[in-house]
C-alpha cells in the first residue's frame, strides 16, 4: 500500500499500486544468476517514490564530501555520544555516591546493571513507535524523558530514587542508539552507508572512554552530582536541536512495518463492513505477503446496487496500539543469517564491556591509578574503537563497490561481510596479547597499545556486520537495529555481572585468552553467513510468503 495517508482515494476504487520488492537495491539482493531479469524494472520498498525524498535532498542539506557532515548526521551522532557517555559517567563516582546516599555495594552494582539492560532492550519500544509516528517525535519524547529523569537524578536523596531515575534515563537515552542507524538508512544509499555508519558509530564508541574522564573530572572539583547536571544540560541542547533543526527522515511508504500494520487495519475494516455496503467485500480481504503490496481491484461486474460511500485512507489513522514490537523482533530473529550476526555482535560488545570494566579494576588494584588517570588510559580504547569505526566503515563501502563492479553491477547483502575478513586475522592475537600484558603488569604504555588494537579490530568488524543487518532487512532496518541493541545490551549485561568473579578466579591472562576463543567463534559465525546467508534469506522469504498467503 503506497498511497499516501493524505490521499482521498477510496478503498474500493483505488488504483492498484506497483508491486515493490523487499530489497535494498535496484535489484533483489540475490546473486546475479538468481536475479530475474524483470527485477530491474520493479522498485524495491526502499526506493518507492515519496514526497520530499530524503535521499534526494540537496547536497547543501546533506554534505559536500566527507569533510562536511549533514545536520542530521551531526545531531544523531551527538545524541548517540551523550547516550553512551551517560552509561559510563557514574563509574568514577560510585564510591562517593555510596558514601553520600548510605548505599551498599550491591545497590551501586544494580544502578549500573539496570542502566545497561534497559538501554539495550528499550529500543524495541522506540523502534516500533518510530515506524508509526516517525523518527522526530520519538527523538523528542525520548530526550524529554532523559532530561527530566536526569534533573531528578541529580537531586536524588536516596539510592532508590537514583536507581529509578537511572532506569528512566537509560530508557530515554536508548532511542538515539537504535533509531539513529535507521535514520541514516533513510537518507543514504547502500553504497554510502558503510562510510556513514562508520562515522556515526565513532561517536557512541567514544562515549565509554569519555564518560569516566568527564565524570571523574567534574566529581573531583564539584561533587558527584555535577556529572548528572552535565547530562541534563547536554541533553537539553540536543533536545532543542531535535525540535528546531532536525527534519524527519521517516517515510511511511518505505516502512514494511507500517505497511503491514496498515493492511491489518484495512482487513479489519473490510471484515466489519457488510459485503452489501462495500465493493471491497466482494473481492475478499487483503492478503499479506513477504513484500508490501496490497491491491484491491474492484469487481469487473460492479455491485448489484448503488454502493455506499467508501472509507478513505484519511479515515485510517494508525496508533501505537497497531504496532506490537515483538512480532518484528521475531521476524528478525527467525532468519538464521540475522541470528548468527546478532550473536556475533553481542559477543563483540560483551567483550568490550568486560574489557573496560575489568581494566578499571586492574588499573586501580595493580597500577594504583585514580579515576582521572584510569579515564585517560581507557581513552586509548576509545581512540581504537573510533579509528576502527571510521576506517572499517570506509573499507566496507570500498569492498562492496569493488565486488559489485566485478559482478556486473549486481550485488547481494553478504558482499558487505567480506570487508571484515582482514580484521578477523588480527583481533584474537591482540586480545591474547592484552591478556598477558596486564597479567604480568607490563608498563602502562604497552597496555594502552593493546587496548587500542583490540578496540580497533573489534569495531572494524562490527561496522561491517551492523551495515549488513540494515542491508539484509530492507523495510525493517529500525527493527533490525533495535534487535541488535537488545542482543548487545543483554550479553553486555551478562558479561558485566560475571566479569569480576571470573577475573578474581582466573586472572586477566586466562580470562581474556578464553575471550579470544569466543571471538574466534564469533568470526566463524560471520564466515558462515558469508557463505550461507543468501540461501538462508531465500528460504525464510519463501516461508513468509507461504504463511502470508
Amino acid at each position: 500500500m503506497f498511497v499516501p495517508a493524505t490521499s482521498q482515494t477510496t478503498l474500493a476504487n483505488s488504483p492498484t499500486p506497483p508491486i515493490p520488492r523487499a530489497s535494498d537495491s535496484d535489484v533483489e539482493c540475490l546473486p546475479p544468476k538468481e536475479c530475474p531479469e524483470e527485477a530491474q524494472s520493479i522498485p524495491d520498498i526502499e526506493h518507492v517514490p515519496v514526497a520530499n525524498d530524503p535521499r534526494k535532498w540537496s547536497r547543501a542539506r546533506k554534505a559536500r564530501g566527507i569533510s562536511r557532515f549533514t545536520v542530521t548526521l551531526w545531531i544523531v551522532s551527538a545524541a548517540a555520544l551523550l547516550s553512551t557517555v551517560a552509561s559510563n559517567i557514574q563509574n568514577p563516582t560510585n564510591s562517593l555516591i555510596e558514601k553520600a546516599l548510605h548505599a551498599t555495594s550491591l545497590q551501586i552494582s544494580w544502578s549500573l546493571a539496570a542502566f545497561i539492560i534497559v538501554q539495550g532492550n528499550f529500543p524495541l519500544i522506540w523502534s516500533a513507535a518510530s515506524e508509526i509516528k516517525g523518527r522526530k517525535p520519538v527523538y523528542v519524547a525520548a530526550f524529554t524523558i532523559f532530561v527530566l529523569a536526569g534533573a531528578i537524578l541529580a537531586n536524588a536523596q536516596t539510592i532508590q530514587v537514583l536507581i529509578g531515575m537511572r532506569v528512566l534515563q537509560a530508557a530515554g537515552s536508548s532511542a538515539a542508539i537504535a533509531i539513529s542507524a535507521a535514520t541514516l538508512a533513510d537518507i543514504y544509499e547502500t553504497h554510502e552507508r558503510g562510510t556513514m555508519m562508520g562515522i556515526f558509530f565513532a561517536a557512541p564508541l567514544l562515549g565509554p572512554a569519555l564518560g569516566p574522564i568527564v565524570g571523574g573530572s567534574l566529581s573531583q572539583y564539584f561533587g558527584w552530582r555535577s556529572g548528572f547536571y552535565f547530562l541534563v544540560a547536554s541533553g537539553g541542547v540536543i533536545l532543542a536541536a531535535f525540535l528546531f533543526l532536525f527534519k524527519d527522515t521517516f517515510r511511511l511508504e518505505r516502512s514494511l512495518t507500517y505497511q503491514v500494520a496498515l493492511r491489518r487495519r484495512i482487513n479489519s475494516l473490510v471484515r466489519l463492513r457488510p459485503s452489501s455496503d462495500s465493493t471491497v467485500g466482494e473481492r475478499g480481504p487483503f492478503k499479506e505477503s513477504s513484500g508490501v503490496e496490497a491491491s484491491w481491484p474492484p469487481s469487473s461486474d460492479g455491485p448489484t446496487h448503488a454502493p455506499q460511500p467508501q472509507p478513505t485512507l484519511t479515515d485510517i489513522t494508525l496508533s501505537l496500539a497497531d504496532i506490537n514490537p515483538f512480532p518484528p523482533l521475531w521476524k528478525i530473529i527467525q532468519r538464521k543469517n540475522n541470528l548468527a550476526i546478532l550473536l556475533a555482535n553481542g559477543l563483540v560488545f560483551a567483550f568490550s564491556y568486560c574489557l573496560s570494566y575489568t581494566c578499571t579494576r586492574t588499573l586501580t588494584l595493580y597500577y594504583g591509578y585514580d579515576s582521572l588517570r584510569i579515564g585517560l588510559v581507557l581513552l586509548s580504547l576509545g581512540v581504537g574503537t573510533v579509528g576502527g569505526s571510521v576506517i572499517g566503515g570506509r573499507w566496507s563501502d570500498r569492498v562492496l563497490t569493488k565486488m559489485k563492479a566485478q559482478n556486473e553491477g549486481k550485488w547481494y547483502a553478504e558482499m558487505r561481510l567480506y570487508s571484515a575478513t582482514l580484521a578477523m586475522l588480527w583481533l584474537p592475537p591482540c586480545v591474547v596479547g592484552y591478556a598477558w600484558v596486564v597479567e604480568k603488569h607490563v608498563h602502562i604504555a604497552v597496555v594502552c597499545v593493546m587496548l587500542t588494537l583490540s578496540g580497533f579490530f573489534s569495531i572494524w568488524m562490527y561496522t561491517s556486520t551492523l551495515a549488513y543487518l540494515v542491508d539484509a532487512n530492507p523495510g525493517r532496518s529500525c527493527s533490525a537495529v533495535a534487535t541488535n541493541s537488545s542482543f548487545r545490551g543483554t550479553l553486555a549485561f551478562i558479561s558485566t555481572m560475571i566479569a569480576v568473579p571470573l577475573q578474581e578466579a582466573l586472572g586477566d591472562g586466562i580470562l581474556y585468552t578464553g575471550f579470544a576463543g569466543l571471538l574466534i567463534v564469533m568470526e566463524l559465525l560471520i564466515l558462515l553467513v558469508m557463505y550461507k546467508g543468501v540461501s538462508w534469506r531465500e528460504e525464510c522469504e519463501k516461508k513468509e510468503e507461504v504463511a502470508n498467503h
Side-chain angles (χ1 to χ4, degrees):
M1 156 94 49
F2 293 101
V3 183
T6 56
S7 172
Q8 295 297 322
T9 306
T10 62
L11 301 180
N13 58 17
S14 298
T16 303
I19 300 176
R21 303 190 74 87
S23 175
D24 188 56
S25 65
D26 293 332
V27 294
E28 189 176 7
C29 295
L30 296 174
K33 292 182 179 179
E34 302 178 33
C35 286
E37 293 181 2
E38 63 271 16
Q40 303 252 2
S41 61
I42 301 176
D44 61 79
I45 189 171
E46 292 201 359
H47 292 88
V48 170
V50 295
N52 192 19
D53 190 344
R55 296 201 180 106
K56 295 180 180 178
W57 283 347
S58 68
R59 300 305 293 178
R61 183 176 292 168
K62 279 191 175 183
R64 295 184 185 275
I66 199 67
S67 61
R68 287 187 58 195
F69 303 132
T70 69
V71 171
T72 300
L73 183 60
W74 274 110
I75 294 175
V76 298
S77 297
L81 172 63
L82 185 63
S83 297
T84 52
V85 166
S87 68
N88 289 271
I89 200 170
Q90 179 186 329
N91 291 343
T93 64
N94 285 335
S95 59
L96 299 176
I97 295 174
E98 186 174 344
K99 182 178 179 180
L101 300 184
H102 307 290
T104 65
S105 57
L106 180 60
Q107 289 172 322
I108 295 296
S109 296
W110 271 109
S111 71
L112 299 173
F115 191 99
I116 293 174
I117 194 69
V118 172
Q119 191 181 59
N121 288 278
F122 209 85
L124 296 173
I125 306 298
W126 292 129
S127 67
S130 75
E131 297 293 338
I132 289 293
K133 299 300 183 181
R135 314 294 190 216
K136 183 171 183 174
V138 171
Y139 282 128
V140 171
F143 270 87
T144 299
I145 293 173
F146 180 84
V147 171
L148 293 177
I152 299 173
L153 170 61
N155 293 280
Q157 300 299 320
T158 65
I159 188 62
Q160 289 79 12
V161 172
L162 185 142
I163 293 174
M165 291 304 101
R166 282 291 279 172
V167 167
L168 286 179
Q169 197 177 53
S173 69
S174 65
I177 300 174
I179 301 177
S180 293
T183 301
L184 297 183
D186 292 339
I187 63 177
Y188 290 108
E189 295 286 359
T190 303
H191 66 276
E192 301 175 292
R193 286 180 188 166
T195 298
M196 293 305 169
M197 289 285 187
I199 295 171
F200 162 70
F201 267 99
L205 291 171
L206 188 59
L210 291 180
I213 296 177
V214 174
S217 301
L218 291 174
S219 64
Q220 185 173 346
Y221 295 103
F222 304 106
W224 67 269
R225 298 180 187 274
S226 59
F228 297 122
Y229 280 120
F230 169 81
L231 295 179
V232 173
S234 301
V237 171
I238 291 176
L239 175 59
F242 277 122
L243 281 170
F244 301 112
L245 300 178
F246 181 79
K247 187 176 180 65
D248 205 336
T249 62
F250 177 72
R251 298 294 181 267
L252 59 87
E253 297 91 342
R254 291 177 174 174
S255 170
L256 193 58
T257 302
Y258 185 96
Q259 300 302 326
V260 170
L262 185 60
R263 287 200 303 275
R264 191 182 302 115
R265 172 64 72 86
I266 292 173
N267 282 338
S268 67
L269 292 177
V270 169
R271 286 192 294 268
L272 290 174
R273 194 178 187 89
S275 59
S276 61
D277 292 342
S278 174
T279 56
V280 176
E282 297 174 13
R283 301 303 301 267
F286 302 99
K287 294 183 179 180
E288 296 183 11
S289 70
S290 59
V292 296
E293 69 272 13
S295 60
W296 49 90
S299 172
S300 58
D301 298 331
T304 57
H305 61 280
Q308 300 297 318
Q310 301 299 319
T312 65
L313 290 177
T314 54
D315 297 327
I316 302 175
T317 302
L318 298 185
S319 67
L320 297 181
D322 294 296
I323 292 292
N324 182 343
F326 297 105
L329 171 68
W330 174 243
K331 285 185 178 294
I332 299 298
I333 295 177
Q334 70 181 352
R335 293 193 173 195
K336 289 181 282 188
N337 61 303
N338 287 340
L339 182 59
I341 296 300
L342 290 168
L343 289 173
N345 288 348
L347 287 174
V348 168
F349 269 80
F351 163 71
S352 180
Y353 273 82
C354 185
L355 179 63
S356 60
Y357 190 21
T358 57
C359 184
T360 299
R361 296 185 75 251
T362 299
L363 294 174
T364 301
L365 296 175
Y366 300 109
Y367 287 82
Y369 280 14
D370 57 22
S371 58
L372 182 57
R373 295 175 72 187
I374 289 172
L376 292 173
V377 172
L378 290 179
L379 186 60
S380 63
L381 177 62
V383 170
T385 56
V386 169
S389 181
V390 174
I391 296 174
R394 299 198 69 176
W395 180 256
S396 174
D397 281 346
R398 180 178 178 181
V399 170
L400 179 62
T401 300
K402 182 178 180 180
M403 294 187 68
K404 185 176 179 180
Q406 293 174 344
N407 210 23
E408 299 179 352
K410 300 176 183 178
W411 79 288
Y412 50 97
E414 285 69 24
M415 285 181 176
R416 175 81 66 181
L417 298 178
Y418 284 86
S419 61
T421 54
L422 183 60
M424 289 181 186
L425 298 174
W426 295 101
L427 179 60
C430 289
V431 174
V432 172
Y434 168 81
W436 295 102
V437 163
V438 294
E439 178 71 20
K440 301 300 182 181
H441 309 152
V442 178
H443 192 274
I444 194 63
V446 182
V447 176
C448 289
V449 169
M450 301 314 299
L451 284 172
T452 301
L453 292 176
S454 297
F456 180 83
F457 290 116
S458 62
I459 300 304
W460 178 309
M461 285 191 295
Y462 179 77
T463 301
S464 298
T465 54
L466 181 67
Y468 168 78
L469 280 177
V470 174
D471 292 344
N473 294 277
R476 294 193 180 107
S477 60
C478 195
S479 297
V481 176
T483 307
N484 180 73
S485 179
S486 178
F487 271 70
R488 191 181 71 180
T490 301
L491 290 180
F493 169 80
I494 294 172
S495 71
T496 301
M497 296 299 291
I498 66 174
V500 173
L502 289 177
Q503 185 185 34
E504 292 177 344
L506 303 174
D508 286 310
I510 296 178
L511 172 61
Y512 284 100
T513 300
F515 241 122
L518 283 178
L519 292 174
I520 291 174
V521 173
M522 176 268 293
E523 294 175 351
L524 292 175
L525 289 173
I526 297 174
L527 290 173
L528 185 62
V529 175
M530 286 168 57
Y531 293 103
K532 298 287 291 183
V534 172
S535 61
W536 285 347
R537 284 191 293 108
E538 282 187 295
E539 179 184 346
C540 287
E541 287 167 2
K542 290 178 181 178
K543 288 181 179 179
E544 288 177 4
E545 185 174 358
V546 170
N548 289 330
H549 282 82

